[in-house]
Amino acid sequence: MKNLSITISISAIFCFLTACNSNTDTSASTQVEQTKPLNVLYIMTDDHAAHAVGVYEGRFAKLNPTPNIDKLADEGMVFTNTFVTNSICTPSRASILTGQYSQTNGVLDLRGSISTENQHLPTLMSNAGYQTAIIGKWHLKKEPGAFDYYQVLEGQGTYFDPTFRIQGENVWPKNEVQYKGYSSDVVTDISIDWLKNKKNNKPFFLMHQFKAPHDMFEYAPRYEDYLAAETIPEPTDLYGVKATFGSIATRGVNDKLIKNIGTSVSKRHNRRSMGIDLGVDPSLPEEEFTRQAYQKYVKAYLRCVKGVDDNIARLLQTLKDIGEYDNTIIIYTSDQGMMLGEHDFQDKRWMYEESIRMPFIVKDPRMTTQGQKSDLLVNNTDFAPLILDLVGIKVPEYMHGKSFAPALQGKTPNNWRTASYYRYWTHRAYHDVPAHFGLRTKDYKLIFFYGANFMTKPFPFYDKKWVAKTGLHNSAINTPAAWELYDLRKDPTEQNNVYSNPEYSKVVDELKIELKRQRKLYNETDKQYPHLQKIIDKHWND
């Protein structure tokens, strides 16, 4: 099929692939031309792991947790290899808005913020004639001023009776209004009201962003009976990991760090246990405590997911009611994954699979690949380029990510990545996860835990009790440096670190070459952190 060129204006013919984007393979185009500009509805949850979405066929699939998201998937395409580049809320959202890795956009951790001039995605959409809005979780500190309209949760937001900051209601950050009700319902109510009462006929770009299912997993009372009679399937290593899992970086020499690294579902971790947080009786025997903690944890989590799924049905029905469903690109994703008991870990942050894998589903009315899955290696720096490309806007060179629009036609984009770079900067704070970086290919995962804070004077997080008890701040305590390699073809649940296996020496060498290349390419080196570079140099060839 021949290439099509697009003039960027709302009166132009919006084609499925555009030749004006140098980052995109334009060898294919859809057979259907769109004479009306397409809207974009971007739906994002917080911490919704891909394996907790039915269509991803994880261990929860038989519980049917997401029938409405699965229905959307039947009408679109499911991307099974989508990964976050920094698995924590604020940095992930910054990468999605900017198309850039953390060190370039400046958001390394939860303290980060994005000012209006750097909110690239909504700015570009607005400049191309779109009416832009963000409703729900924001978590990027500064005003979302690049959007034409916003109602965003204050900070992390609360599950019940949430407070929003509303455009036009006083000056940021004093523009606060409190709503009654459950967060997922309220966010959806606001988006529905905005969709029904838009003041112009421009195409819209709406970022609808739930708080759920972020901890502490407070669900609406109507879901109390949901899953009550079910026994939630457990991960294979909930009650103790194999000796072949991890390294001295994550276990310590002779397992001396087992009780200090990675907050747990069980009573293993000495500072934070999900079971304790959720009120499970700590006097129970270890195995029974863990069993009850896991069941309570995941049921609460999936009840929050159920609230999201039901509200997505309401949102999509609104598009149908106002006659825009068949003229809207719909994307469903989350800001990262979530550890749901795997390796006896809770939360995210890790480069392990359940933490970094993101659900990503796209429905485009011009698609010819409905109901199919793609294993293209995608990360969240690619989201903005994809959205821009799908509506005919040239992807700027300052974005690290690339559009993968050809995948929606069953084709592989030209010169596509073979490995996705990852880095978690926030050493040991919150959930005692050591700082690390690495690469994820389709077949392998290479991780280097350098185990030190990028700040020479760590800032205080909320582990005040630990500081009071020990006189030390966790994030100031270095952990051993070590490498881990997982063969995902043979070991998809990452039970066996094969880094020291001589059979994998060539794989290790090749991955390290690519790791070094991507760190330089994406401005992720440690030139400004010489104390970290010293650790990296010392252990690079271990």
Side-chain angles (χ1 to χ4, degrees):
M1 298 182 185
K2 63 182 180 180
N3 295 343
L4 298 173
S5 297
I6 298 176
T7 300
I8 303 174
S9 73
I10 64 173
S11 63
I13 296 177
F14 275 63
C15 301
F16 187 61
L17 299 174
T18 170
C20 68
N21 178 9
S22 61
N23 283 333
T24 305
D25 176 4
T26 59
S27 60
S29 64
T30 184
Q31 295 178 350
V32 179
E33 291 185 350
Q34 199 74 23
T35 57
K36 181 181 177 182
L38 291 177
N39 310 304
V40 180
L41 172 60
Y42 175 92
I43 306 170
M44 187 163 74
T45 43
D46 193 320
D47 296 351
H48 191 188
H51 63 298
V53 179
V55 73
Y56 281 84
E57 302 178 323
R59 69 178 184 274
F60 309 121
K62 291 183 180 180
L63 301 173
N64 192 28
T66 55
N68 295 301
I69 296 173
D70 297 346
K71 184 178 179 181
L72 179 67
D74 289 340
E75 299 178 28
M77 176 170 276
V78 176
F79 288 84
T80 59
N81 278 330
T82 303
F83 300 101
V84 68
T85 52
N86 185 350
S87 186
I88 187 169
C89 300
T90 308
S92 176
R93 292 161 193 274
S95 288
I96 290 166
L97 281 175
T98 64
Q100 298 168 337
Y101 285 84
S102 295
Q103 196 161 194
T104 296
N105 65 43
V107 182
L108 308 184
D109 55 34
L110 291 179
R111 301 174 307 156
S113 63
I114 292 288
S115 56
T116 296
E117 63 269 21
N118 293 322
Q119 295 165 19
H120 299 313
L121 177 57
T123 296
L124 291 165
M125 295 292 284
S126 181
N127 289 345
Y130 275 77
Q131 183 178 4
T132 62
I134 183 167
I135 295 169
K137 183 169 176 178
W138 171 239
H139 215 220
L140 284 164
K141 309 295 187 298
K142 296 183 180 179
E143 183 177 20
F147 291 87
D148 298 320
Y149 181 80
Y150 65 80
Q151 283 207 51
V152 294
L153 289 164
E154 179 186 28
Q156 173 62 46
T158 60
Y159 271 111
F160 290 96
D161 300 339
T163 296
F164 285 75
R165 288 175 176 160
I166 301 179
Q167 183 192 51
E169 299 285 340
N170 299 318
V171 178
W172 180 278
K174 296 182 179 181
N175 48 345
E176 295 181 349
V177 175
Q178 187 175 24
Y179 288 82
K180 292 291 184 181
Y182 181 65
S183 174
S184 297
D185 301 338
V186 174
V187 170
T188 305
D189 288 344
I190 296 170
S191 285
I192 288 173
D193 182 71
W194 184 82
L195 286 168
K196 288 183 174 179
N197 295 289
K198 292 187 288 81
K199 291 183 171 59
N200 59 55
N201 293 320
K202 291 181 179 180
F204 66 80
F205 171 51
L206 170 61
M207 299 188 81
H208 173 91
Q209 305 192 158
F210 293 100
K211 169 187 170 61
H214 191 279
D215 70 5
M216 290 298 294
F217 319 112
E218 298 176 40
Y219 50 86
R222 63 181 180 271
Y223 297 116
E224 186 66 41
D225 294 335
Y226 175 62
L227 302 174
E230 299 285 348
T231 298
I232 309 299
E234 299 172 346
T236 58
D237 54 357
L238 175 64
Y239 298 98
V241 298
K242 290 184 177 181
T244 53
F245 167 74
S247 62
I248 61 170
T250 51
R251 304 174 68 114
V253 177
N254 299 321
D255 284 353
K256 288 184 177 179
L257 287 177
I258 284 288
K259 293 187 176 183
N260 295 278
I261 296 297
T263 54
S264 58
V265 176
S266 72
K267 291 186 282 188
R268 170 185 56 79
H269 193 267
N270 66 12
R271 186 173 62 90
R272 190 169 183 191
S273 154
M274 180 58 72
I276 298 296
D277 285 350
L278 293 178
V280 178
D281 183 357
S283 69
L284 289 170
E286 181 68 32
E287 186 169 323
E288 179 61 17
F289 175 91
T290 303
R291 186 190 69 79
Q292 290 192 26
Y294 174 78
Q295 292 296 319
K296 193 167 185 178
Y297 173 28
V298 180
K299 285 183 180 181
Y301 177 87
L302 291 177
R303 287 166 182 160
C304 290
V305 168
K306 177 67 171 171
V308 164
D309 191 71
D310 287 348
N311 274 293
I312 286 175
R314 294 176 59 217
L315 191 62
L316 299 187
Q317 183 60 48
T318 299
L319 288 182
K320 295 174 183 177
D321 292 344
I322 64 175
E324 293 290 356
Y325 185 77
D326 293 327
N327 196 57
T328 301
I329 297 165
I330 303 170
I331 294 172
Y332 178 76
T333 188
S334 182
D335 56 355
Q336 58 253 332
M338 190 73 170
M339 305 299 297
L340 297 171
E342 298 83 10
H343 315 303
D344 187 29
F345 290 145
Q346 56 161 299
D347 199 67
K348 55 266 185 180
R349 293 167 170 80
W350 295 100
M351 198 181 165
Y352 300 129
E353 202 70 357
E354 297 81 8
S355 171
I356 66 167
R357 186 187 294 274
M358 310 168 76
F360 197 85
I361 298 167
V362 183
K363 175 191 174 294
D364 186 304
R366 301 159 297 185
M367 290 175 61
T368 59
T369 51
Q370 292 87 347
Q372 296 186 24
K373 293 183 178 180
S374 170
D375 67 352
L376 189 72
L377 201 62
V378 174
N379 70 46
N380 61 334
T381 67
D382 300 320
F383 294 3
L386 173 69
I387 292 168
L388 294 171
D389 191 23
L390 288 179
V391 298
I393 301 171
K394 182 176 175 63
V395 179
E397 293 184 0
Y398 58 73
M399 288 188 174
H400 293 141
K402 296 181 179 181
S403 169
F404 50 101
L408 298 179
Q409 293 288 74
K411 299 182 181 295
T412 301
N414 285 340
N415 303 314
W416 196 253
R417 72 170 61 84
T418 57
S420 181
Y421 178 77
Y422 176 86
R423 184 165 189 176
Y424 175 68
W425 290 80
T426 314
H427 177 66
R428 294 200 68 180
Y430 295 97
H431 288 274
D432 265 326
V433 176
H436 58 287
F437 58 72
L439 283 181
R440 206 288 191 184
T441 73
K442 284 187 177 180
D443 294 335
Y444 299 101
K445 185 179 293 177
L446 179 69
I447 313 171
F448 178 57
F449 291 91
Y450 55 91
N453 202 307
F454 69 94
M455 296 171 290
T456 54
K457 185 179 180 181
F459 64 95
F461 284 93
Y462 62 65
D463 55 354
K464 295 178 182 177
K465 291 181 180 179
W466 176 259
V467 175
K469 178 180 177 181
T470 64
L472 297 169
H473 195 283
N474 268 21
S475 60
I477 304 171
N478 287 6
T479 48
W483 292 87
E484 296 181 12
L485 175 71
Y486 296 94
D487 185 340
L488 301 173
R489 303 165 304 171
K490 300 177 181 179
D491 181 26
T493 60
E494 299 170 313
Q495 301 293 318
N496 304 298
N497 176 14
V498 295
Y499 179 80
S500 297
N501 186 333
E503 294 180 11
Y504 290 90
S505 59
K506 184 177 179 181
V507 172
V508 168
D509 290 343
E510 291 174 350
L511 289 175
K512 284 186 178 180
I513 291 171
E514 178 64 12
L515 179 58
K516 186 174 288 188
R517 185 189 76 84
Q518 289 202 24
R519 278 169 54 77
K520 182 177 180 181
L521 177 65
Y522 299 129
N523 185 37
E524 287 286 324
T525 61
D526 287 272
K527 292 179 181 178
Q528 60 183 307
Y529 306 110
H531 64 292
L532 297 185
Q533 190 61 52
K534 184 177 180 180
I535 298 171
I536 295 166
D537 292 341
K538 180 180 179 180
H539 295 280
W540 189 262
N541 295 316
D542 283 1

